[in-house]
Amino acid sequence: MKYSIRLLFAPLALLLVLPLVGAEKNFSATPTMADETRLLVQLLENVHFKGKELEQSDLSELIPDYMKDLDSQRMFFLQSDLDLMSARFTPGLSNDLHYKGNIEAAFRIFETYLQRVTDRVAWIDEALKKDWNLSKDETFQFDRTEAKWPANPQAADALWTKRIKFELLQDLLNDKPIEKAKENISKRYARILRNLNEIEPEEIQEIYLTSLTHLYDPHTAYEPPE
């Protein structure tokens, strides 16, 4: 059974947080988002069937889990990103969520993720211009949901080299010529980056607060006011 926390002041929320047409995106929380966050924590602690207070110790996994929700295959973030973000945001999470409704962590981590993806897509486009030796006997772990993030940029490049080889071979085995295979890969990652660039602050908030509710109970999810 899945439980959803629904907030009941949708009309006001929509008026305050929907961006103006053509306006530059601002990855920061509105006062309404802060109210929603505080209310969510109150509902979890006082209305949810578990009736359990969110302790600071419970929140120690929020930053890692949120980063996993953004980067489920552990391909874009580095271990140093996790270490930095955890050290920066974890100590104040209880105060931020209970009293301030502060979700700055969500936006700063997403900005880092977006930068990592942007840089990686540029790297992929450059790499695809080269000739690829696909005869080397190598292995690639396709499902990385339980893997560690790359330790450093060099480890990330090595991982992505194997990933691109894997994708090229997939297309070649489906009788695609090498240039078509490269084109398919380039378009695939361009589309991923385009979708990320279109994300709205409310969507970032939803991912982050759902990561929070999953800490409390894996079958409970945050749903935005609309």
Side-chain angles (χ1 to χ4, degrees):
M1 181 178 295
K2 181 179 180 181
Y3 301 88
S4 297
I5 302 298
R6 297 177 182 271
L7 303 184
L8 302 181
F9 41 90
L12 177 60
L14 289 174
L15 285 172
L16 289 176
V17 302
L18 281 179
L20 296 175
V21 176
E24 184 177 345
K25 287 182 186 176
N26 179 22
F27 287 120
S28 61
T30 65
T32 299
M33 287 181 178
D35 290 340
E36 292 167 1
T37 300
R38 285 191 295 266
L39 178 57
L40 173 65
V41 173
Q42 292 171 16
L43 290 171
L44 286 172
E45 294 185 335
N46 299 310
V47 178
H48 194 278
F49 76 93
K50 279 197 169 183
K52 180 180 180 297
E53 184 175 350
L54 280 168
E55 305 284 353
Q56 177 65 32
S57 58
D58 300 321
L59 296 169
S60 62
E61 292 302 311
L62 177 56
I63 299 304
D65 284 0
Y66 172 60
M67 293 176 71
K68 292 172 192 174
D69 287 338
L70 291 174
D71 184 14
S72 62
Q73 290 298 311
R74 320 289 179 89
M75 294 289 295
F76 293 102
F77 282 126
L78 303 176
Q79 181 62 40
S80 57
D81 295 325
L82 173 61
D83 296 341
L84 178 65
M85 296 302 176
S86 295
R88 178 179 176 184
F89 293 112
T90 298
L93 281 176
S94 181
N95 187 57
D96 282 342
L97 295 171
H98 280 92
Y99 305 109
K100 297 180 181 178
N102 179 11
I103 58 170
E104 179 191 359
F107 298 112
R108 302 294 79 79
I109 292 170
F110 180 81
E111 287 170 351
T112 299
Y113 179 57
L114 180 58
Q115 187 61 57
R116 290 282 179 262
V117 176
T118 301
D119 292 344
R120 184 54 60 187
V121 171
W123 181 93
I124 290 170
D125 285 341
E126 284 301 310
L128 288 172
K129 295 176 183 178
K130 303 174 183 178
D131 293 329
W132 285 73
N133 178 10
L134 302 176
S135 61
K136 186 178 179 180
D137 188 9
E138 295 178 287
T139 60
F140 174 70
Q141 182 182 351
F142 178 71
D143 182 2
R144 290 182 44 82
T145 53
E146 299 300 324
K148 294 181 179 180
W149 276 295
N152 51 52
Q154 294 74 25
D157 288 348
L159 175 64
W160 273 98
T161 298
K162 288 186 176 183
R163 173 76 197 191
I164 297 305
K165 286 183 178 181
F166 173 78
E167 294 191 38
L168 285 171
L169 286 169
Q170 278 189 313
D171 272 10
L172 292 175
L173 290 171
N174 286 318
D175 296 326
K176 299 283 195 313
I178 185 66
E179 291 307 317
K180 182 62 177 177
K182 290 182 177 182
E183 180 184 344
N184 289 345
I185 293 170
S186 180
K187 287 182 177 179
R188 183 178 304 133
Y189 287 102
R191 183 167 59 251
I192 290 172
L193 180 57
R194 183 169 61 251
N195 290 340
L196 279 178
N197 277 310
E198 292 174 353
I199 199 167
E200 299 292 344
E202 297 81 10
E203 296 172 275
I204 299 172
Q205 177 199 26
E206 181 179 356
I207 298 169
Y208 186 67
L209 293 184
T210 294
S211 298
L212 172 64
T213 63
H214 285 172
L215 280 180
Y216 197 83
D217 172 71
H219 303 292
T220 300
Y222 167 81
E223 291 188 5
E226 61 269 23

